Amino acid sequence: TVRDTLYAEDMTIRRPPTFRNRHALVALDGTPHEGMWEGRLGRSLEYGKVLDEDQTRYYINELLNYRVYQTSRNMNPYSSGEHAQLSQVFALLEAVKKDYGERVALITSMRVRDMLKKEKPRVYDEYVHDDRLYYNGLRSHSEYENYGLGVVAGCQFTGDRVIQRLAALDGHDIPERDGKGVGSSFGEIGDTYYKHESHASTAQAIFRLGRGEDVGGADIFVHTANIPDWIPIEGIVDKGEKIRIRRSNEREVMMALQDMEVSTTATIEDMVDCSDDTVRRHLDNEAIDGYVEKATDRGRTLWIDDGLEDANWWGEVPLPN
């Protein structure tokens, strides 16, 4: 193990290893940043790729038999849990489990994993069968190698200062990040450190799954846009589409119409604790999603249950094909 930093209260000191009595050194890294390796080891390296771009895609698609689906066009930084949308994660877990008929292996940050388990423990256990792996504890782990279905929720992003500190250790003065989210940038040099910290962590999560001999591949749903561009994406959520969370009053409206099968807006309003406009908005959404039929009878709007039992409980999720 290479230990490259010693932390003090106000200072970080790099101490490259000595490698005494070594005639040669070979370093293998699937997500390398050459400058960081040279800085950490304190010497120049000859760098070569084992696979070119086409060979990499063939290896991932054909040999590993991976199918990677991107379910968000946002960054979704989940390291601290502060920006995590738990309802979105529950909706995604429900949709994948319902579509495949089996529970998933989950990888996210330790903080978000614990928040999910605390928020709705029984629901969590219904959708997730293994959550041992998490960001900051992924490399060289094989606990998920025999799982063919997984969800990677959010990305790892440890903050601007970590990126600037890593770059400073290699002699680079990185400016403040310009912008927020997917379009943000630390500049040309700084972005290489950012991608090493965030995009490469997503890759590490993806490659924990489906590598066992008896599995033959994996379907992996990744809820972040921070995916390395060398990983082929089987499907990506359409622009403008996103997970639509069902709030409690929407679920009440759905259950009321299920009980009635056919009903007017006023009748449903009397059965639930929300306004006429709210009832109409929820039922219009269900009609758009294809679970409710909207009809007119003598000037009145009628709502007809047309498959509400098939609707996801936590939200509508546009899973990529």
Side-chain angles (χ1 to χ4, degrees):
T1 300
V2 177
R3 300 185 65 85
D4 65 328
T5 54
L6 175 68
Y7 295 93
E9 198 169 305
D10 298 307
M11 181 183 300
T12 300
I13 301 173
R14 168 163 281 170
R15 302 175 110 180
T18 59
F19 295 113
R20 294 187 180 92
N21 302 321
R22 298 294 191 272
H23 297 292
L25 176 68
V26 177
L28 297 176
D29 190 344
T31 55
H33 174 26
E34 305 96 282
M36 290 181 67
W37 270 105
E38 291 183 345
R40 290 180 175 188
L41 298 178
R43 61 197 65 205
S44 298
L45 299 174
E46 293 182 11
Y47 174 74
K49 295 185 69 174
V50 177
L51 303 177
D52 63 26
E53 184 175 322
D54 290 338
Q55 291 170 328
T56 298
R57 291 180 178 274
Y58 178 81
Y59 172 73
I60 295 172
N61 281 336
E62 304 299 330
L63 299 184
L64 290 181
N65 196 24
Y66 273 9
R67 292 163 298 278
V68 179
Y69 301 93
Q70 182 181 332
T71 62
S72 175
R73 290 180 177 268
N74 297 323
M75 179 181 169
N76 298 336
Y78 279 10
S79 293
S80 67
E82 180 182 354
H83 304 290
Q85 300 184 50
L86 301 186
S87 296
Q88 279 198 2
V89 180
F90 278 119
L92 176 60
L93 292 172
E94 176 190 31
V96 174
K97 194 255 185 181
K98 188 172 183 178
D99 201 44
Y100 284 79
E102 59 182 280
R103 294 186 298 164
V104 309
L106 174 67
I107 298 177
T108 186
S109 69
M110 181 186 288
R111 180 70 60 83
V112 169
R113 182 195 65 180
D114 293 345
M115 289 168 64
L116 289 166
K117 295 173 81 168
K118 183 177 180 181
E119 179 80 8
K120 293 179 173 64
R122 285 184 292 182
V123 175
Y124 183 86
D125 289 340
E126 181 182 349
Y127 302 145
V128 177
H129 70 82
D130 202 330
D131 61 4
R132 286 174 289 175
L133 298 185
Y134 50 86
Y135 285 127
N136 284 336
L138 291 174
R139 289 179 182 270
S140 302
H141 281 264
S142 58
E143 288 89 341
Y144 286 8
E145 67 177 0
N146 291 317
Y147 298 149
L149 181 63
V151 169
V152 178
C155 71
Q156 176 170 262
F157 180 60
T158 48
D160 295 11
R161 294 297 170 259
V162 171
I163 305 300
Q164 292 172 322
R165 176 179 61 82
L166 287 172
L169 289 168
D170 292 329
H172 302 295
D173 184 12
I174 300 302
E176 295 295 313
R177 182 164 47 131
D178 181 23
K180 292 185 178 182
V182 174
S184 63
S185 174
F186 291 93
E188 183 177 356
I189 295 176
D191 283 348
T192 61
Y193 291 86
Y194 164 54
K195 289 182 177 180
H196 174 83
E197 282 294 292
S198 185
H199 292 62
S201 295
T202 305
Q204 288 289 339
I206 290 170
F207 283 97
R208 296 310 96 204
L209 288 140
R211 304 184 67 160
E213 293 182 0
D214 298 330
V215 181
D219 287 358
I220 307 160
F221 292 85
V222 185
H223 197 55
T224 176
N226 282 20
I227 304 173
D229 56 14
W230 50 265
I231 293 181
I233 304 299
E234 186 77 14
I236 181 172
V237 66
D238 291 337
K239 283 187 177 181
E241 283 195 330
K242 61 181 181 179
I243 295 174
R244 184 173 66 79
I245 301 304
R246 297 196 203 286
R247 305 301 177 188
S248 58
N249 56 11
E250 181 179 357
R251 294 195 289 267
E252 289 177 9
V253 169
M254 292 167 59
M255 289 188 293
L257 182 55
Q258 280 184 285
D259 290 340
M260 300 293 292
E261 296 185 356
V262 179
S263 181
T264 62
T265 307
T267 300
I268 295 177
E269 182 187 356
D270 290 338
M271 299 171 64
V272 299
D273 186 22
C274 49
S275 68
D276 178 274
D277 288 342
T278 301
V279 170
R280 287 181 182 276
R281 185 177 72 252
H282 290 323
L283 291 172
D284 276 333
N285 283 332
E286 300 308 324
I288 292 170
D289 295 334
Y291 302 121
V292 169
E293 182 182 342
K294 187 176 182 179
T296 303
D297 177 42
R298 288 175 291 184
R300 299 181 308 166
T301 299
L302 290 181
W303 305 96
I304 305 167
D305 181 354
D306 193 29
L308 282 169
E309 64 179 1
D310 296 324
N312 290 343
W313 185 249
W314 297 107
E316 274 305 299
V317 181
L319 288 181
N321 296 318

